PDB file of all heavy atoms in Angstrom:
ATOM      1  N   MET A  43       0.839  -1.198   0.000  1.00 79.00           N
ATOM      2  CA  MET A  43       0.000   0.000   0.000  1.00 79.00           C
ATOM      3  C   MET A  43       0.872   1.246   0.000  1.00 79.00           C
ATOM      4  O   MET A  43       1.824   1.355   0.774  1.00 79.00           O
ATOM      5  CB  MET A  43      -0.906   0.006   1.241  1.00 79.00           C
ATOM      6  CG  MET A  43      -1.762   1.245   1.380  1.00 79.00           C
ATOM      7  SD  MET A  43      -2.808   1.156   2.852  1.00 79.00           S
ATOM      8  CE  MET A  43      -3.640   2.730   2.743  1.00 79.00           C
ATOM      9  N   VAL A  49       6.615  16.794   4.328  1.00 98.00           N
ATOM     10  CA  VAL A  49       7.634  17.507   5.103  1.00 98.00           C
ATOM     11  C   VAL A  49       7.392  18.998   4.910  1.00 98.00           C
ATOM     12  O   VAL A  49       7.373  19.492   3.777  1.00 98.00           O
ATOM     13  CB  VAL A  49       9.046  17.115   4.650  1.00 98.00           C
ATOM     14  CG1 VAL A  49      10.095  17.849   5.475  1.00 98.00           C
ATOM     15  CG2 VAL A  49       9.246  15.605   4.773  1.00 98.00           C
ATOM     16  N   VAL A  76       2.599  14.316  13.103  1.00 97.00           N
ATOM     17  CA  VAL A  76       3.629  13.422  13.630  1.00 97.00           C
ATOM     18  C   VAL A  76       4.292  14.102  14.819  1.00 97.00           C
ATOM     19  O   VAL A  76       4.425  15.330  14.853  1.00 97.00           O
ATOM     20  CB  VAL A  76       4.677  13.096  12.540  1.00 97.00           C
ATOM     21  CG1 VAL A  76       5.851  12.304  13.118  1.00 97.00           C
ATOM     22  CG2 VAL A  76       4.024  12.322  11.398  1.00 97.00           C
ATOM     23  N   ASP A  94      10.210  26.125   3.444  1.00 98.00           N
ATOM     24  CA  ASP A  94      10.151  25.690   2.043  1.00 98.00           C
ATOM     25  C   ASP A  94      10.859  24.353   1.823  1.00 98.00           C
ATOM     26  O   ASP A  94      11.740  24.217   0.973  1.00 98.00           O
ATOM     27  CB  ASP A  94      10.776  26.743   1.121  1.00 98.00           C
ATOM     28  CG  ASP A  94      10.427  28.166   1.491  1.00 98.00           C
ATOM     29  OD1 ASP A  94       9.339  28.383   2.055  1.00 98.00           O
ATOM     30  OD2 ASP A  94      11.238  29.060   1.234  1.00 98.00           O
ATOM     31  N   HIS A  95      10.452  23.349   2.549  1.00 98.00           N
ATOM     32  CA  HIS A  95      11.160  22.070   2.554  1.00 98.00           C
ATOM     33  C   HIS A  95      10.877  21.227   1.309  1.00 98.00           C
ATOM     34  O   HIS A  95       9.789  21.280   0.734  1.00 98.00           O
ATOM     35  CB  HIS A  95      10.727  21.231   3.761  1.00 98.00           C
ATOM     36  CG  HIS A  95      10.853  21.934   5.078  1.00 98.00           C
ATOM     37  ND1 HIS A  95      10.214  23.119   5.365  1.00 98.00           N
ATOM     38  CD2 HIS A  95      11.535  21.603   6.201  1.00 98.00           C
ATOM     39  CE1 HIS A  95      10.505  23.498   6.601  1.00 98.00           C
ATOM     40  NE2 HIS A  95      11.309  22.588   7.129  1.00 98.00           N
ATOM     41  N   MET A 105      19.480   6.608   0.335  1.00 98.00           N
ATOM     42  CA  MET A 105      19.369   7.607   1.396  1.00 98.00           C
ATOM     43  C   MET A 105      18.225   8.582   1.103  1.00 98.00           C
ATOM     44  O   MET A 105      17.816   8.773  -0.040  1.00 98.00           O
ATOM     45  CB  MET A 105      20.679   8.371   1.538  1.00 98.00           C
ATOM     46  CG  MET A 105      21.858   7.524   1.975  1.00 98.00           C
ATOM     47  SD  MET A 105      21.715   6.963   3.695  1.00 98.00           S
ATOM     48  CE  MET A 105      22.073   8.496   4.565  1.00 98.00           C
ATOM     49  N   ILE A 108      16.423  15.817   3.155  1.00 98.00           N
ATOM     50  CA  ILE A 108      15.548  16.970   3.313  1.00 98.00           C
ATOM     51  C   ILE A 108      16.392  18.208   3.041  1.00 98.00           C
ATOM     52  O   ILE A 108      17.467  18.370   3.623  1.00 98.00           O
ATOM     53  CB  ILE A 108      14.953  17.054   4.727  1.00 98.00           C
ATOM     54  CG1 ILE A 108      13.991  15.891   4.984  1.00 98.00           C
ATOM     55  CG2 ILE A 108      14.228  18.392   4.936  1.00 98.00           C
ATOM     56  CD1 ILE A 108      13.521  15.801   6.433  1.00 98.00           C
ATOM     57  N   SER A 139      19.870  24.383   3.833  1.00 98.00           N
ATOM     58  CA  SER A 139      20.031  23.428   4.929  1.00 98.00           C
ATOM     59  C   SER A 139      19.682  22.040   4.417  1.00 98.00           C
ATOM     60  O   SER A 139      18.740  21.875   3.637  1.00 98.00           O
ATOM     61  CB  SER A 139      19.121  23.791   6.102  1.00 98.00           C
ATOM     62  OG  SER A 139      19.624  24.897   6.808  1.00 98.00           O
ATOM     63  N   VAL A 147      13.775   8.211   9.909  1.00 97.00           N
ATOM     64  CA  VAL A 147      13.599   8.519  11.333  1.00 97.00           C
ATOM     65  C   VAL A 147      14.917   8.871  12.022  1.00 97.00           C
ATOM     66  O   VAL A 147      14.931   9.683  12.952  1.00 97.00           O
ATOM     67  CB  VAL A 147      12.888   7.372  12.097  1.00 97.00           C
ATOM     68  CG1 VAL A 147      11.453   7.215  11.594  1.00 97.00           C
ATOM     69  CG2 VAL A 147      13.646   6.066  11.985  1.00 97.00           C
ATOM     70  N   ILE A 171      14.169  16.678  -8.518  1.00 98.00           N
ATOM     71  CA  ILE A 171      13.567  15.637  -9.335  1.00 98.00           C
ATOM     72  C   ILE A 171      14.690  14.810  -9.955  1.00 98.00           C
ATOM     73  O   ILE A 171      15.784  15.330 -10.232  1.00 98.00           O
ATOM     74  CB  ILE A 171      12.661  16.228 -10.432  1.00 98.00           C
ATOM     75  CG1 ILE A 171      11.864  15.119 -11.135  1.00 98.00           C
ATOM     76  CG2 ILE A 171      13.466  17.046 -11.437  1.00 98.00           C
ATOM     77  CD1 ILE A 171      10.758  15.639 -12.044  1.00 98.00           C
ATOM     78  N   GLU A 177      21.525  11.180 -12.081  1.00 97.00           N
ATOM     79  CA  GLU A 177      21.625  12.587 -11.699  1.00 97.00           C
ATOM     80  C   GLU A 177      20.292  13.123 -11.187  1.00 97.00           C
ATOM     81  O   GLU A 177      19.230  12.820 -11.742  1.00 97.00           O
ATOM     82  CB  GLU A 177      22.077  13.440 -12.887  1.00 97.00           C
ATOM     83  CG  GLU A 177      23.512  13.202 -13.287  1.00 97.00           C
ATOM     84  CD  GLU A 177      23.953  14.148 -14.370  1.00 97.00           C
ATOM     85  OE1 GLU A 177      23.117  14.529 -15.221  1.00 97.00           O
ATOM     86  OE2 GLU A 177      25.149  14.503 -14.384  1.00 97.00           O
ATOM     87  N   ILE A 179      18.177  16.705 -10.327  1.00 98.00           N
ATOM     88  CA  ILE A 179      18.098  18.127 -10.663  1.00 98.00           C
ATOM     89  C   ILE A 179      17.580  18.865  -9.438  1.00 98.00           C
ATOM     90  O   ILE A 179      16.414  18.701  -9.041  1.00 98.00           O
ATOM     91  CB  ILE A 179      17.160  18.377 -11.860  1.00 98.00           C
ATOM     92  CG1 ILE A 179      17.532  17.472 -13.039  1.00 98.00           C
ATOM     93  CG2 ILE A 179      17.184  19.848 -12.243  1.00 98.00           C
ATOM     94  CD1 ILE A 179      18.909  17.662 -13.575  1.00 98.00           C
ATOM     95  N   SER A 183      14.712  29.226  -6.544  1.00 98.00           N
ATOM     96  CA  SER A 183      14.576  30.579  -7.080  1.00 98.00           C
ATOM     97  C   SER A 183      15.560  31.518  -6.404  1.00 98.00           C
ATOM     98  O   SER A 183      15.842  31.386  -5.209  1.00 98.00           O
ATOM     99  CB  SER A 183      13.145  31.101  -6.900  1.00 98.00           C
ATOM    100  OG  SER A 183      12.770  31.091  -5.541  1.00 98.00           O
ATOM    101  N   ASP A 189      20.252  42.285 -12.795  1.00 96.00           N
ATOM    102  CA  ASP A 189      19.139  43.225 -12.962  1.00 96.00           C
ATOM    103  C   ASP A 189      18.818  43.912 -11.634  1.00 96.00           C
ATOM    104  O   ASP A 189      17.665  44.273 -11.369  1.00 96.00           O
ATOM    105  CB  ASP A 189      17.903  42.547 -13.551  1.00 96.00           C
ATOM    106  CG  ASP A 189      17.281  41.515 -12.609  1.00 96.00           C
ATOM    107  OD1 ASP A 189      17.900  41.208 -11.566  1.00 96.00           O
ATOM    108  OD2 ASP A 189      16.180  41.026 -12.904  1.00 96.00           O
ATOM    109  N   ARG A 202      24.622  13.934  -7.768  1.00 97.00           N
ATOM    110  CA  ARG A 202      24.393  12.500  -7.617  1.00 97.00           C
ATOM    111  C   ARG A 202      24.330  12.096  -6.145  1.00 97.00           C
ATOM    112  O   ARG A 202      23.657  11.134  -5.791  1.00 97.00           O
ATOM    113  CB  ARG A 202      25.509  11.700  -8.304  1.00 97.00           C
ATOM    114  CG  ARG A 202      25.520  11.831  -9.810  1.00 97.00           C
ATOM    115  CD  ARG A 202      26.694  11.086 -10.423  1.00 97.00           C
ATOM    116  NE  ARG A 202      26.705  11.215 -11.876  1.00 97.00           N
ATOM    117  CZ  ARG A 202      26.079  10.394 -12.708  1.00 97.00           C
ATOM    118  NH1 ARG A 202      25.414   9.359 -12.220  1.00 97.00           N
ATOM    119  NH2 ARG A 202      26.125  10.577 -14.007  1.00 97.00           N
ATOM    120  N   GLN A 215      13.016  31.398 -16.818  1.00 98.00           N
ATOM    121  CA  GLN A 215      12.792  32.784 -16.413  1.00 98.00           C
ATOM    122  C   GLN A 215      11.625  33.344 -17.202  1.00 98.00           C
ATOM    123  O   GLN A 215      11.381  32.942 -18.340  1.00 98.00           O
ATOM    124  CB  GLN A 215      14.044  33.635 -16.617  1.00 98.00           C
ATOM    125  CG  GLN A 215      14.581  33.677 -18.030  1.00 98.00           C
ATOM    126  CD  GLN A 215      15.890  34.435 -18.107  1.00 98.00           C
ATOM    127  OE1 GLN A 215      16.183  35.307 -17.288  1.00 98.00           O
ATOM    128  NE2 GLN A 215      16.722  34.109 -19.094  1.00 98.00           N
ATOM    129  N   GLU A 228       7.230  14.280 -13.263  1.00 98.00           N
ATOM    130  CA  GLU A 228       7.290  13.584 -14.547  1.00 98.00           C
ATOM    131  C   GLU A 228       6.039  12.743 -14.738  1.00 98.00           C
ATOM    132  O   GLU A 228       5.547  12.096 -13.819  1.00 98.00           O
ATOM    133  CB  GLU A 228       8.535  12.691 -14.586  1.00 98.00           C
ATOM    134  CG  GLU A 228       8.763  11.979 -15.913  1.00 98.00           C
ATOM    135  CD  GLU A 228       8.020  10.654 -16.020  1.00 98.00           C
ATOM    136  OE1 GLU A 228       7.718  10.054 -14.973  1.00 98.00           O
ATOM    137  OE2 GLU A 228       7.711  10.237 -17.162  1.00 98.00           O
ATOM    138  N   LEU A 235       6.389  21.601 -14.770  1.00 98.00           N
ATOM    139  CA  LEU A 235       6.968  22.516 -13.802  1.00 98.00           C
ATOM    140  C   LEU A 235       5.905  23.516 -13.347  1.00 98.00           C
ATOM    141  O   LEU A 235       5.355  24.263 -14.164  1.00 98.00           O
ATOM    142  CB  LEU A 235       8.149  23.259 -14.437  1.00 98.00           C
ATOM    143  CG  LEU A 235       8.875  24.295 -13.578  1.00 98.00           C
ATOM    144  CD1 LEU A 235       9.593  23.613 -12.413  1.00 98.00           C
ATOM    145  CD2 LEU A 235       9.861  25.092 -14.425  1.00 98.00           C
ATOM    146  N   MET A 248       1.780  26.674 -14.938  1.00 98.00           N
ATOM    147  CA  MET A 248       2.287  25.333 -15.197  1.00 98.00           C
ATOM    148  C   MET A 248       2.980  25.329 -16.548  1.00 98.00           C
ATOM    149  O   MET A 248       2.497  25.940 -17.515  1.00 98.00           O
ATOM    150  CB  MET A 248       1.120  24.337 -15.191  1.00 98.00           C
ATOM    151  CG  MET A 248       1.479  22.884 -15.417  1.00 98.00           C
ATOM    152  SD  MET A 248      -0.063  21.911 -15.484  1.00 98.00           S
ATOM    153  CE  MET A 248       0.596  20.251 -15.614  1.00 98.00           C
ATOM    154  N   LYS A 250       5.617  22.862 -19.391  1.00 98.00           N
ATOM    155  CA  LYS A 250       5.835  21.489 -19.846  1.00 98.00           C
ATOM    156  C   LYS A 250       7.087  21.421 -20.694  1.00 98.00           C
ATOM    157  O   LYS A 250       7.389  22.341 -21.464  1.00 98.00           O
ATOM    158  CB  LYS A 250       4.628  21.016 -20.656  1.00 98.00           C
ATOM    159  CG  LYS A 250       4.720  19.590 -21.192  1.00 98.00           C
ATOM    160  CD  LYS A 250       3.458  19.243 -21.984  1.00 98.00           C
ATOM    161  CE  LYS A 250       3.513  17.824 -22.537  1.00 98.00           C
ATOM    162  NZ  LYS A 250       2.281  17.478 -23.293  1.00 98.00           N
ATOM    163  N   PRO A 257      13.857  23.156 -22.699  1.00 98.00           N
ATOM    164  CA  PRO A 257      13.074  24.364 -22.478  1.00 98.00           C
ATOM    165  C   PRO A 257      11.600  24.066 -22.169  1.00 98.00           C
ATOM    166  O   PRO A 257      11.080  23.017 -22.564  1.00 98.00           O
ATOM    167  CB  PRO A 257      13.192  25.111 -23.808  1.00 98.00           C
ATOM    168  CG  PRO A 257      13.379  24.018 -24.822  1.00 98.00           C
ATOM    169  CD  PRO A 257      14.195  22.972 -24.139  1.00 98.00           C
ATOM    170  N   PHE A 264      -4.099  24.803 -17.927  1.00 96.00           N
ATOM    171  CA  PHE A 264      -3.955  25.038 -16.490  1.00 96.00           C
ATOM    172  C   PHE A 264      -4.265  26.491 -16.151  1.00 96.00           C
ATOM    173  O   PHE A 264      -4.915  26.784 -15.141  1.00 96.00           O
ATOM    174  CB  PHE A 264      -2.539  24.688 -16.049  1.00 96.00           C
ATOM    175  CG  PHE A 264      -2.302  24.842 -14.574  1.00 96.00           C
ATOM    176  CD1 PHE A 264      -2.711  23.870 -13.685  1.00 96.00           C
ATOM    177  CD2 PHE A 264      -1.674  25.975 -14.066  1.00 96.00           C
ATOM    178  CE1 PHE A 264      -2.492  24.007 -12.318  1.00 96.00           C
ATOM    179  CE2 PHE A 264      -1.452  26.123 -12.717  1.00 96.00           C
ATOM    180  CZ  PHE A 264      -1.873  25.134 -11.837  1.00 96.00           C
ATOM    181  N   ASP A 293      -0.454  26.562  -1.313  1.00 95.00           N
ATOM    182  CA  ASP A 293      -0.378  27.165   0.018  1.00 95.00           C
ATOM    183  C   ASP A 293      -1.092  28.515  -0.003  1.00 95.00           C
ATOM    184  O   ASP A 293      -0.648  29.458  -0.667  1.00 95.00           O
ATOM    185  CB  ASP A 293       1.099  27.324   0.389  1.00 95.00           C
ATOM    186  CG  ASP A 293       1.308  27.695   1.845  1.00 95.00           C
ATOM    187  OD1 ASP A 293       0.333  28.068   2.518  1.00 95.00           O
ATOM    188  OD2 ASP A 293       2.457  27.616   2.303  1.00 95.00           O
ATOM    189  N   TYR A 294      -2.201  28.598   0.732  1.00 93.00           N
ATOM    190  CA  TYR A 294      -3.011  29.816   0.772  1.00 93.00           C
ATOM    191  C   TYR A 294      -2.510  30.718   1.891  1.00 93.00           C
ATOM    192  O   TYR A 294      -2.439  30.302   3.050  1.00 93.00           O
ATOM    193  CB  TYR A 294      -4.479  29.464   1.001  1.00 93.00           C
ATOM    194  CG  TYR A 294      -5.377  30.669   1.157  1.00 93.00           C
ATOM    195  CD1 TYR A 294      -5.607  31.511   0.078  1.00 93.00           C
ATOM    196  CD2 TYR A 294      -5.990  30.964   2.366  1.00 93.00           C
ATOM    197  CE1 TYR A 294      -6.431  32.621   0.194  1.00 93.00           C
ATOM    198  CE2 TYR A 294      -6.823  32.069   2.499  1.00 93.00           C
ATOM    199  CZ  TYR A 294      -7.029  32.891   1.411  1.00 93.00           C
ATOM    200  OH  TYR A 294      -7.843  33.989   1.539  1.00 93.00           O
ATOM    201  N   GLN A 302      -4.360  30.097   7.256  1.00 84.00           N
ATOM    202  CA  GLN A 302      -3.343  29.807   6.257  1.00 84.00           C
ATOM    203  C   GLN A 302      -3.088  28.312   6.145  1.00 84.00           C
ATOM    204  O   GLN A 302      -3.349  27.555   7.068  1.00 84.00           O
ATOM    205  CB  GLN A 302      -2.026  30.500   6.627  1.00 84.00           C
ATOM    206  CG  GLN A 302      -2.083  32.010   6.592  1.00 84.00           C
ATOM    207  CD  GLN A 302      -0.704  32.622   6.714  1.00 84.00           C
ATOM    208  OE1 GLN A 302       0.302  31.981   6.422  1.00 84.00           O
ATOM    209  NE2 GLN A 302      -0.646  33.873   7.127  1.00 84.00           N
ATOM    210  N   LEU A 336       6.313  13.034  -0.272  1.00 98.00           N
ATOM    211  CA  LEU A 336       7.079  11.885  -0.739  1.00 98.00           C
ATOM    212  C   LEU A 336       6.229  10.631  -0.595  1.00 98.00           C
ATOM    213  O   LEU A 336       5.653  10.386   0.474  1.00 98.00           O
ATOM    214  CB  LEU A 336       8.353  11.729   0.097  1.00 98.00           C
ATOM    215  CG  LEU A 336       9.238  10.516  -0.220  1.00 98.00           C
ATOM    216  CD1 LEU A 336       9.920  10.691  -1.572  1.00 98.00           C
ATOM    217  CD2 LEU A 336      10.277  10.299   0.881  1.00 98.00           C
ATOM    218  N   GLY A 350       9.908   7.920  18.283  1.00 91.00           N
ATOM    219  CA  GLY A 350       9.999   9.037  19.220  1.00 91.00           C
ATOM    220  C   GLY A 350      11.067  10.020  18.780  1.00 91.00           C
ATOM    221  O   GLY A 350      12.261   9.777  18.987  1.00 91.00           O
TER     222      GLY A 350
END
Side-chain angles (χ1 to χ4, degrees):
M43 177 179 179
V49 181
V76 173
D94 319 331
H95 306 58
M105 296 290 286
I108 293 172
S139 285
V147 294
I171 189 169
E177 290 185 327
I179 308 299
S183 58
D189 67 351
R202 293 177 180 271
Q215 58 185 334
E228 184 274 335
L235 179 67
M248 181 184 185
K250 180 180 180 179
F264 182 80
D293 191 347
Y294 176 68
Q302 294 191 22
L336 177 70

